[in-house]
């Protein structure tokens, strides 16, 4: 793990946590692809039981975050983001592995996710052991209404 990196877990809509996640959100996602969430969407999901947000910070500065929603023994990685200047240092992988650890502690047996086809995040998911499930045509609506396919991935944590 990168030196000085701190992971903080939030299970409610703590205002500073939401603000820090939004700081990373606006930097991390290219509006061309329509993947980023609005502050309202983020605050809304955090009111749902079984949802958690993990922030990666150094010296209180937010560098990345992961957002997961769980229902019974399954969960979904909703968002994973690292601010562009901090990429390629293992922060995304640290966040994702932490989410898997967190999920196992909650007796969750699988994690699902959707990712835009052609997103380099696919390399990270495959490295961790996620398996391709199927393609969803036109899942993301980007700028100017352009549609992008999503790929579904899943990891079985009992394997
Ligand atoms: C995807 C993302 C979170 C990765 O964060 P990161 O901190 O740069 O990733 P890491 O440094 O932990 O990389 C871990 C592994 O992922 C893979 N990887 C990450 N970025 C990659 C890239 N651009 N190209 C190829 N492989 C990549 C590599 O296998 C890497 O392992 P290695 O360094 O041993 O080769 C980051 O690029 C991001 O925020 N992207 C924009 C938001 C997004 O699209 N999120 C995913 C959909 S919600």
């Amino acid at each position: 793990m990168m030196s000085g990196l701190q992971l903080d877990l939030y299970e409610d809509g703590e205002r500073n946590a939401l603000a820090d996640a939004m700081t990373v959100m606006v930097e991390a996602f290219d509006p061309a692809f329509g993947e980023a969430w609005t502050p309202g969407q983020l605050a809304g999901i955090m009111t749902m039981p079984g949802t958690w947000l993990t922030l990666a910070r150094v010296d209180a500065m937010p560098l990345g975050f992961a957002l997961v929603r769980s229902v019974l023994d399954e969960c979904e990685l909703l968002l994973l983001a690292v601010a562009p200047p901090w990429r390629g240092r293992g922060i995304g992988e640290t966040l994702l592995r932490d989410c898997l650890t967190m999920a196992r502690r909650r007796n969750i047996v699988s994690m699902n996710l959707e990712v835009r086809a052609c997103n380099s995040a696919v390399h990270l998911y495959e490295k961790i052991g996620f398996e391709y499930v199927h393609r969803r045509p036109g899942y993301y609506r980007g700028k100017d209404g352009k549609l992008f396919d999503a790929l579904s991935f899943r990891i079985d944590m009992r394997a």
Side-chain angles (χ1 to χ4, degrees), residues 8-95:
D8 300 310
L9 173 73
Y10 298 91
E11 296 180 87
D12 56 26
E14 209 256 300
R15 202 178 293 182
N16 290 341
L18 295 184
D20 280 358
M22 283 311 301
T23 301
V24 175
M25 186 96 72
V26 295
E27 284 184 47
F29 290 96
D30 185 336
F33 301 121
E35 296 161 302
W37 288 28
T38 64
Q41 286 172 319
L42 185 59
I45 198 85
M46 290 306 297
T47 64
M48 296 183 67
T51 303
W52 75 85
L53 171 69
T54 306
L55 270 155
R57 298 184 174 105
V58 166
D59 293 335
M61 181 171 60
L63 310 183
F65 73 89
L67 180 67
V68 179
R69 175 177 54 191
S70 63
V71 177
L72 303 174
D73 64 352
E74 294 201 314
C75 70
E76 185 178 6
L77 179 70
L78 298 170
L79 290 169
L80 175 68
V82 173
W86 296 91
R87 288 183 191 161
R89 303 179 194 209
I91 299 174
E93 184 169 341
T94 301
L95 277 165

Side-chain angles (χ1 to χ4, degrees), residues 80 92-94 96 120-130:
L80 175 68
E93 184 169 341
T94 301
L96 183 51
S120 59
V122 166
H123 298 287
L124 171 56
Y125 301 138
E126 286 177 337
K127 178 182 177 185
I128 301 285
F130 280 82

